[in-house]
Amino acid sequence: QEQLTESGGGSVQAGGSLRLSCVASTYTHDMYFMSWFRQTPGKEREGVAGIWTRSRDTRYSDSVKGRFTISRDDADNSLLLQMDSLTPEDTGMYYCATRSTFSHAADWDQADKYQLWGQGTQVTVSS
């Protein structure tokens, strides 16, 4: 059974950096697009960054553009998120997710379009 496992979360001061990793137990052609989402209590999951696994084209939310970088390492089926210049507003539980189909690039950050999710890794940024 396919599984996603995130790691790399932790506590950091504002201005610091973290690198998140998401490893897939197995890579399948269904993992057409992969993304990172984050969620804080009482709020919906927010799409942070996404990547087409073949073309490597990327998408970012406006709140992280220029600070976060999403990438994929085929060697170990991992999805990476380099997070720099962190602010307290970046605090939350970060999840990786995959989806197998795409009709409109604009809906890359729609959580209900994703079929497989990891369990999440907590990121806490203090001021």
Side-chain angles (χ1 to χ4, degrees), residues 22-88:
C22 171
V23 177
S25 57
T26 182
Y27 175 74
T28 71
H29 67 277
D30 286 342
M31 296 177 179
Y32 179 66
F33 190 86
M34 303 184 74
S35 287
W36 287 97
F37 285 76
R38 67 185 178 194
Q39 188 171 25
T40 53
K43 293 188 177 181
E44 293 185 354
R45 289 186 184 185
E46 170 195 11
V48 173
I51 186 169
W52 275 271
T53 57
R54 295 180 183 177
S55 70
R56 305 305 167 99
D57 285 347
T58 58
R59 292 291 186 272
Y60 295 94
S61 66
D62 289 341
S63 62
V64 307
K65 198 172 297 183
R67 300 187 298 120
F68 289 13
T69 303
I70 188 171
S71 62
R72 183 173 153 72
D73 186 342
D74 291 335
D76 59 0
N77 290 333
S78 64
L79 181 71
L80 307 173
L81 186 67
Q82 177 66 40
M83 306 188 294
D84 298 319
S85 302
L86 286 162
T87 73

